Amino acid sequence: MGRIPRRSMIIGALVALTLTAACSAGSGTTGDSDRKDHTSTLSVGFSAEPVSLDFTRNDGAAIPQALLVNVYEGLVKLDAHGRIVPLLAGRWKVSPDRRTYTFTLRKGVTFSDGRPFTAQDAAFSINRVKTGWTTSLKAGMDVVQDARAASPTSLVVTLKRPSNQWLFAMTTRIGAMFSRTGVSKLATKPVGTGPYVLDHWNRGDELVLKARKGYWGTEPAVRQVTLKYFKDPTAMNNAMRTGGIDVVSTVQAPESLAEFKDRSKYRVIEGTSNAEVVLSYNNAKPPLTDRRVRQALSYAIDRKAVLDTAWAGHGTLIGSMVPPTDPWYENLSGTYPYDPAKARRLLAQAGHPRLTLRLRIPNLPYAVASAQVVKSQLADVGVSAKIDVLEFPARWLDVVFTKADYDMSIIAHVEPRDITTFGNPDYYWRYDNPRVRELLDQADSGTPAVQVAKMRQVARTITGDAAADWLFLLPNLMVADPAVHGLPTNVVSEAFDLTACSWARS
């Protein structure tokens, strides 16, 4: 939480971890049954459905995955290479002391309810994060001292101190721009400046977006997008094979790729993502308060075996909360080599040669598959892991993420740069290290070189403390109709960006 911030939500785990996309495509390919010629529609399969449509009051990656960029836009966004680029702000300048940002907003932008988007709306949206949001991500706006409209098209944001993270955070959900008069029914009626509007949402089945008239930018070629939700990965694969969907956003059972080996019918895309699959430890729950116990658990895990068994070898071993796409990435996967004998010695030294722990996981395929391997490996060192599978998102978010009622869990954190969550003692892993908070502050306020150096220290510190165990980094693994091109190889943001998708003319 993560495919996620300051008290980042996680979770993402959420979700299905998805692609951030810019797609272009063609028509006319057939699957196991004839596909219709649909040059103006697109259907995409997902494994995790939003719990509501209000990401200001509900954690979880599924909401911004569907709505960010498509329905809600920010002043800035990430491009396909992870660079911050203009969106609703055509340009901006930063003061010499790095505390004041002046944004020049684009003219002619309107919300989907017809109201003009102005600097007053932008100031309202930024200030409202601190006063009206209730989710874990709201802390990302704490560094803001004031946001005010200097004119209808000029926004001035003053920070309490220089911050390297703040503008990047503005590319995430906390940077979404809201209408001052359109926030009363966010859970069911989103009002944004994006090219799509919500047409309808059938809970448990599908969420349909339609292109809106009067969009300020380039209108999307795909006029209707259906986000189909599947709890069963087999059902999603069947839908792909029979033409029910055009894209599997995230393959939930890599061994099933054999079903899609016919390259005349399917295209498989594999890249990297932000989605760290984490074996979470509750650092405030005895005996996990003992660093030796946490380290013992980490030595007991053969992460390569977990990756090979649970995810058919697709993914990357990383060793900390930093994916290779971050500037401060270091491969720390060798910090805790698989060493059952050392795990047993540490457990004995800590006074826990035999131990029973609750492993409470979401009912997501990668988590369930990984948990079985972890359970078996821990049993070899005298640790009995009692697996408790919780419905996701609602039950897992309530029990594990909100109440921290767990010993261990497994979840994919998809939010970008979510290593900052280890600076928040209230985050669900309850890790409390003043030195990490100090390093994060130094990284945020320092020069770019200082930021990289300090963030690497943060990663080494949390890994050395065995604050969690990073099993592997989920790949961005998709299956698409071969007519669909331009899907991103790597996931770089929270959004499943549909705005550039099109079916190429036959």
Side-chain angles (χ1 to χ4, degrees):
M1 301 190 159
R3 7 184 3 44
I4 217 315
R6 327 27 111 164
R7 196 200 163 198
S8 149
M9 140 174 178
I10 177 171
I11 290 190
L14 275 188
V15 181
L17 314 151
T18 306
L19 75 136
T20 306
C23 347
S24 67
S27 66
T29 303
T30 58
D32 289 0
S33 67
D34 291 341
R35 294 182 184 274
K36 61 182 179 180
D37 178 17
H38 44 189
T39 58
S40 65
T41 66
L42 186 71
S43 183
V44 185
F46 293 87
S47 64
E49 183 181 16
V51 66
S52 92
L53 299 182
D54 183 3
F55 53 62
T56 74
R57 305 185 71 83
N58 294 274
D59 279 308
I63 313 174
Q65 183 180 63
L67 302 184
L68 194 61
V69 176
N70 302 314
V71 173
Y72 294 111
E73 295 177 309
L75 302 180
V76 292
K77 73 171 186 175
L78 294 180
D79 69 7
H81 304 287
R83 296 172 300 205
I84 300 173
V85 296
L87 190 51
L88 293 179
R91 63 183 184 275
W92 63 90
K93 62 180 180 179
V94 185
S95 64
D97 65 1
R98 299 168 53 217
R99 290 186 55 223
T100 302
Y101 289 72
T102 303
F103 296 91
T104 300
L105 308 186
R106 299 185 191 274
K107 297 179 180 179
V109 177
T110 61
F111 287 101
S112 57
D113 64 0
R115 287 191 62 257
F117 167 69
T118 69
Q120 286 83 1
D121 295 294
F124 164 79
S125 299
I126 292 173
N127 291 325
R128 183 174 176 271
V129 174
K130 293 189 290 183
T131 60
W133 286 48
T134 61
T135 69
S136 58
L137 279 176
K138 63 176 293 185
M141 209 65 84
D142 286 352
V143 72
V144 174
Q145 177 176 303
D146 178 65
R148 61 182 179 85
S151 76
T153 58
S154 180
L155 172 73
V156 179
V157 180
T158 303
L159 306 184
K160 299 173 183 176
R161 54 174 174 76
S163 171
N164 292 311
Q165 179 66 17
W166 180 73
L167 190 61
F168 184 89
M170 288 293 290
T171 69
T172 70
R173 70 194 77 173
I174 67 170
M177 295 290 106
F178 294 89
S179 166
R180 285 169 288 166
T181 60
V183 295
S184 61
K185 298 180 180 179
L186 294 181
T188 57
K189 188 177 180 181
V191 177
T193 62
Y196 288 99
V197 294
L198 175 68
D199 182 69
H200 66 270
W201 178 24
N202 295 330
R203 290 178 181 268
D205 181 20
E206 65 182 21
L207 186 154
V208 177
L209 302 177
K210 281 193 173 182
R212 74 178 179 97
K213 297 179 180 179
Y215 176 58
W216 65 270
T218 302
E219 293 188 2
V222 175
R223 309 304 294 173
Q224 177 176 303
V225 181
T226 300
L227 283 59
K228 294 284 292 183
Y229 296 102
F230 299 87
K231 292 185 177 181
D232 179 8
T234 300
M236 191 188 318
N237 290 346
N238 288 340
M240 184 69 202
R241 290 194 303 102
T242 58
I245 59 175
D246 305 305
V247 178
V248 173
S249 67
T250 302
V251 173
Q252 294 296 308
E255 66 274 10
S256 69
L257 287 175
E259 300 177 35
F260 306 109
K261 61 184 178 181
D262 187 342
R263 293 300 177 258
S264 69
K265 297 179 180 179
Y266 313 105
R267 184 160 57 96
V268 176
I269 299 171
E270 181 170 2
T272 190
S273 75
N274 294 319
E276 307 97 346
V277 179
V278 183
L279 175 62
S280 312
Y281 302 147
N282 188 338
N283 286 254
K285 189 83 171 292
L288 294 169
T289 50
D290 191 325
R291 181 171 177 258
R292 294 170 299 180
V293 173
R294 300 193 304 270
Q295 289 178 326
L297 298 178
S298 296
Y299 279 117
I301 303 300
D302 183 345
R303 283 161 287 280
K304 181 64 165 58
V306 175
L307 177 61
D308 290 344
T309 305
W311 222 237
H314 294 276
T316 306
L317 302 180
I318 51 176
S320 194
M321 199 75 172
V322 185
T325 48
D326 283 352
W328 38 84
Y329 171 73
E330 288 184 298
N331 184 355
L332 299 178
S333 61
T335 305
Y336 294 99
Y338 179 51
D339 192 340
K342 189 167 186 176
R344 294 188 195 96
R345 289 196 299 271
L346 283 168
L347 287 170
Q349 291 171 14
H352 298 284
R354 308 294 299 181
L355 191 58
T356 298
L357 298 173
R358 290 181 305 168
L359 177 55
R360 313 192 82 166
I361 61 172
N363 61 337
L364 296 173
Y366 68 84
V368 174
S370 297
Q372 297 299 328
V373 185
V374 168
K375 174 184 175 71
S376 176
Q377 293 177 347
L378 291 180
D380 290 341
V381 300
V383 177
S384 175
K386 302 297 185 181
I387 297 176
D388 184 9
V389 181
L390 305 177
E391 183 272 331
F392 184 87
R395 181 73 174 148
W396 187 92
L397 285 172
D398 177 53
V399 174
V400 176
F401 186 66
T402 301
K403 297 176 180 175
D405 183 11
Y406 79 106
D407 298 317
M408 301 182 295
S409 188
I410 295 176
I411 196 78
H413 289 245
V414 303
E415 291 71 28
R417 300 189 180 181
D418 48 8
I419 189 174
T420 55
T421 59
F422 286 93
N424 182 359
D426 295 327
Y427 198 68
Y428 85 105
W429 32 56
R430 300 297 195 260
Y431 177 72
D432 188 355
N433 188 328
R435 176 57 178 161
V436 166
R437 293 195 289 276
E438 180 183 18
L439 288 169
L440 287 170
D441 287 343
Q442 292 171 352
D444 195 31
S445 60
T447 64
V450 168
Q451 182 186 27
V452 169
K454 297 299 182 181
M455 292 301 283
R456 285 179 176 170
Q457 284 184 256
V458 171
R460 294 169 192 156
T461 300
I462 63 175
T463 299
D465 275 351
D469 189 75
W470 294 270
L471 298 177
F472 58 92
L473 187 74
L474 273 171
N476 178 36
L477 190 59
M478 298 177 288
V479 177
D481 185 306
V484 179
H485 301 288
L487 296 173
T489 301
N490 299 322
V491 171
V492 296
S493 82
E494 298 182 290
F496 191 114
D497 187 346
L498 300 159
T499 60
C501 290
S502 66
W503 289 89
R505 302 290 179 180
S506 57

